[in-house]
Amino acid sequence: IHLKEQKTTLVNVKNLLSQLVNDQVTIKDFNNRQDIFIHVHEASLRRTLIDIIENAQMAAGDVGEVALELTILGDKFVEIKCRNSGECFPERVLKHLGEPFLTFKKNGNGLGLFNAYNFMILSGGEIHLRNTEKNEAEVRLLFPLISLRETK
């Protein structure tokens, strides 16, 4: 089944991210009082976020940190960032995002970022990888913003 054939729904991104954090993952700039909604296939979004968070945790190892950040860019986009302070992305991964079977992990199959890339394209979003000035690996997911709702 292709993503376009799957049912998409309004997903509260803030709630979903809250469900996926654990003791090793912190959320930064997440004190926004608004619920943030995007229109996507929820199971595919969940799988993409789990893959990205798990990859970040592996790269961070026992001494690195993993941080998630949820931001509204203007009134058009929702940005989810996942950073780790462990390993940076190798240059070949940065240059060949979207290619299947590209991995730098010992037991990796090279499908996690490939699947994330395809999900983002099919969702009308974007995915960007970079290594920050602080030697952190960063994955940025951009989705069209659907709506905001004040929460108490």
Side-chain angles (χ1 to χ4, degrees):
I1 296 176
H2 295 299
L3 184 66
K4 289 188 181 240
E5 297 169 358
Q6 296 177 358
K7 184 167 175 44
T8 59
T9 59
L10 276 182
V11 176
N12 185 327
V13 183
K14 196 171 182 178
N15 286 350
L16 179 59
L17 285 176
S18 295
Q19 295 168 20
L20 298 178
V21 299
N22 57 45
D23 294 345
Q24 298 172 327
V25 179
T26 61
I27 299 178
K28 297 184 177 185
D29 297 333
F30 202 62
N31 54 1
N32 187 328
R33 291 185 53 215
Q34 297 173 322
D35 286 336
I36 301 168
F37 293 90
I38 58 176
H39 200 263
V40 294
H41 183 260
E42 185 171 4
S44 296
L45 173 61
R46 182 181 295 272
R47 180 78 258 153
T48 296
L49 292 170
I50 288 170
D51 285 346
I52 289 170
I53 291 167
E54 285 178 353
N55 284 344
Q57 288 177 301
M58 281 192 282
D62 293 334
V63 295
E65 297 177 2
V66 176
L68 294 174
E69 190 173 332
L70 179 63
T71 310
I72 300 165
L73 301 178
D75 60 354
K76 301 245 187 249
F77 295 100
V78 172
E79 177 185 62
I80 301 170
K81 282 185 193 174
C82 181
R83 284 193 201 108
N84 83 74
S85 62
E87 292 180 42
C88 287
F89 290 112
E91 208 47 46
R92 71 182 185 280
V93 172
L94 294 173
K95 288 182 179 176
H96 299 281
L97 176 63
E99 290 183 16
F101 312 114
L102 179 68
T103 186
F104 60 98
K105 293 185 286 187
K106 184 177 179 183
N107 295 318
N109 62 20
L111 293 177
L113 282 175
F114 172 73
N115 289 335
Y117 175 84
N118 285 310
F119 166 70
M120 293 305 296
I121 298 302
L122 291 172
S123 298
E126 299 176 16
I127 182 171
H128 301 278
L129 306 181
R130 75 178 186 119
N131 295 320
T132 71
E133 312 78 45
K134 297 178 182 178
N135 289 324
E136 299 171 315
E138 178 182 271
V139 178
R140 292 178 61 221
L141 305 176
L142 293 170
F143 295 92
L145 174 67
I146 298 300
S147 66
L148 299 171
R149 187 179 72 216
E150 284 291 325
T151 57
K152 298 194 176 26

